[in-house]
Amino acid sequence: MENHPPSHQIQALGPAASGTIHVKRAFVIGHPIAHSRSPLIHGTWLAEHGVDGSYEAVDVAPDALPEFVRRVDGKDFVGGNVTIPHKQAVFALCDAVDPLARRIGAVNTLVHRDGGLFGFNTDYLGFLGNLDQQAPGWSDARSPALVLGAGGASRAIIVALRSRDIPVILLNRTRETAEALAVELGPDGISAGALDDINERAPAARLVVNTTALGMHGTRFEGFDLGRLAPDTLVTDIVYTPLDTPLLVEARARGLHTVDGLGMLLHQAVPGFAAWFGVTPQVTAELRTAVEATL
Ligand code: ATR
């Protein structure tokens, strides 16, 4: 498998072309886009660092995507973020796509550089950055991780975990989907199974990552006996609405260490900001509090 250390990818994003632009403009595009927290995150950093730049949310319908992307030419826009439903369609509009973004199957960050448009995926860096900040040393022992769900979000998590050589136990409601993904992103280091087998697979894990929407709207995992987890297991959820998903609440009640999903959102924004504006921002408690107030 490919094994790129995260620092390689941060460097790979590099600074965006500056040319003669005075105000560097960046964006997040999606459809709809009104709910996006990205303008708050990047706006906070722009003010904090006194950058002469802007970051705006733009609602772009699917048929308007090619026309919008042409404006990312280093003059009108230096780059931006891409969210649902454009994360796949934007591939074909980039001059080059980072190999890990290709592997994940989604581009969430565009950077205009060296006269071309580059596509990256920073979700996996967001996942790693969040755990590195909230649970330092979490990946040192390379203990197995139990990944629940095999959809789009799961792909970035698996790529993240494998970039640290962490064995992955991938469980999904539909076993066949997990098996196909394990072959595609592995097969080394990834074993697949059905979510129904969770209690048998749980004792081997030292990290549990929920990538499914279970946990939103008060839903929970039926039949997952958290008592099967080792006491030093870290439990994390990529859902952040609510911040305290039922899985995290139960894990905490059992004395397990938990990390919520909001940090992943904040940390995935770091490499894009650094590439467009030339300053590497920090994910501070103040930023987290500001974003948390909007949830
Ligand atoms: P995302 O891009 O957010 O990951 P997705 O690609 O639609 O969303 O993937 C949804 C994932 O959540 C899938 O792994 C799905 O399982 P299936 O492949 O069996 O559909 C999982 N999921 C959704 N609802 C679920 C539920 N009620 N119980 C268990 N898993 C569920």
Side-chain angles (χ1 to χ4, degrees):
M1 63 149 279
E2 288 176 69
N3 190 2
H4 301 285
S7 58
H8 165 83
Q9 292 304 319
I10 294 170
Q11 284 164 12
L13 258 69
S18 53
T20 55
I21 313 161
H22 298 298
V23 177
K24 293 181 179 176
R25 295 174 70 200
F27 57 82
V28 55
I29 51 170
H31 187 67
I33 197 61
H35 64 281
S36 174
R37 271 91 187 181
S38 293
L40 171 59
I41 297 169
H42 290 282
T44 300
W45 285 334
L46 285 168
E48 194 177 310
H49 294 283
V51 173
D52 197 5
S54 70
Y55 184 100
E56 59 206 87
V58 186
D59 194 313
V60 175
D63 59 3
L65 184 66
E67 190 189 331
F68 183 87
V69 168
R70 273 196 291 277
R71 294 174 59 191
V72 193
D73 56 1
K75 299 184 193 73
D76 199 350
F77 288 107
V78 293
N81 289 121
V82 180
T83 188
I84 296 165
H86 305 310
K87 286 183 172 192
Q88 283 84 31
V90 81
F91 264 77
L93 303 170
C94 292
D95 296 308
V97 173
D98 176 71
L100 286 194
R102 208 170 275 288
R103 200 164 172 74
I104 292 167
V107 162
N108 78 334
T109 302
L110 296 174
V111 179
H112 187 273
R113 197 177 63 200
D114 304 330
L117 186 64
F118 291 78
F120 298 91
N121 187 303
T122 64
D123 284 336
Y124 86 100
L125 292 172
F127 176 79
L128 295 174
N130 186 30
L131 293 191
D132 287 344
Q133 188 178 55
Q134 303 289 330
W138 68 276
S139 62
D140 292 352
R142 297 192 169 87
S143 307
L146 194 59
V147 176
L148 311 177
S154 177
R155 301 176 68 99
I157 305 299
I158 294 169
V159 166
L161 292 168
R162 294 304 298 141
S163 78
R164 295 270 176 102
D165 267 341
I166 293 171
V168 171
I169 303 163
L170 174 61
L171 303 183
N172 195 44
R173 177 175 59 183
T174 311
R175 176 200 291 267
E176 293 73 20
T177 312
E179 286 170 346
L181 190 57
V183 169
E184 187 190 335
L185 296 182
D188 290 350
I190 309 176
S191 76
L195 204 50
D196 287 343
D197 300 334
I198 193 165
N199 290 328
E200 287 99 271
R201 308 299 290 269
R206 291 297 177 276
L207 171 69
V208 176
V209 188
N210 174 36
T211 77
T212 73
L214 270 174
M216 291 178 93
H217 318 300
T219 54
R220 46 160 292 125
F221 285 98
E222 299 299 336
F224 182 11
D225 176 7
L226 273 72
R228 302 278 299 162
L229 293 169
D232 57 343
T233 305
L234 172 63
V235 179
T236 184
D237 206 319
I238 67 162
V239 168
Y240 57 86
T241 49
L243 263 189
D244 280 327
T245 63
L247 177 67
L248 296 185
V249 170
E250 191 179 340
R252 213 173 300 135
R254 287 180 175 274
L256 301 172
H257 187 185
T258 64
V259 174
D260 66 48
L262 181 58
M264 180 172 167
L265 173 75
L266 304 177
H267 282 272
Q268 64 77 30
V270 170
F273 189 95
W276 308 317
F277 302 118
V279 185
T280 301
Q282 299 299 310
V283 174
T284 61
E286 291 73 26
L287 176 67
R288 202 189 137 90
T289 303
V291 177
E292 222 178 298
T294 70
L295 299 181

